[in-house]
Amino acid sequence: MESRIADFLVHVDNTLAPEEQCKLEDYVRQQPCVVGAGISVDHPHLMVVAYDSDCGRASDIVHSIQDEGYQAEAIGF
């Protein structure tokens, strides 16, 4: 069975130092169903997250980011 890969944009309200950005990216990549995550170099408050939509939901990923103490929201829905 093929997986369906979807992506969405996360707006992170927190101002993050580069090492904090890497920590957040690593954290998101470890979440169930996530296949990739990357913070924009030009817009460090934006992160693209790719995930298997047959496995999980974008809202669950955003909630996991919020549970880590970040002010974050999905945009573009």
Side-chain angles (χ1 to χ4, degrees):
M1 176 165 85
E2 285 187 36
S3 60
R4 290 192 206 169
I5 304 302
D7 61 10
F8 67 102
L9 198 57
V10 176
H11 181 266
V12 180
D13 293 334
N14 307 76
T15 300
L16 303 176
E19 59 275 356
E20 293 172 309
Q21 292 173 8
C22 290
K23 180 181 173 184
L24 177 58
E25 287 173 329
D26 290 343
Y27 173 77
V28 173
R29 287 184 193 116
Q30 295 173 12
Q31 298 311 297
C33 308
V34 171
V35 296
I39 292 177
S40 170
V41 173
D42 294 329
H43 305 284
H45 58 282
L46 298 176
M47 177 171 42
V48 175
V49 179
Y51 68 104
D52 180 347
S53 63
D54 287 335
C55 172
R57 299 180 310 174
S59 61
D60 293 335
I61 298 166
V62 172
H63 288 148
S64 72
I65 295 169
Q66 293 168 339
D67 289 346
E68 284 296 299
Y70 298 98
Q71 300 296 319
E73 59 195 5
I75 57 176
F77 280 90

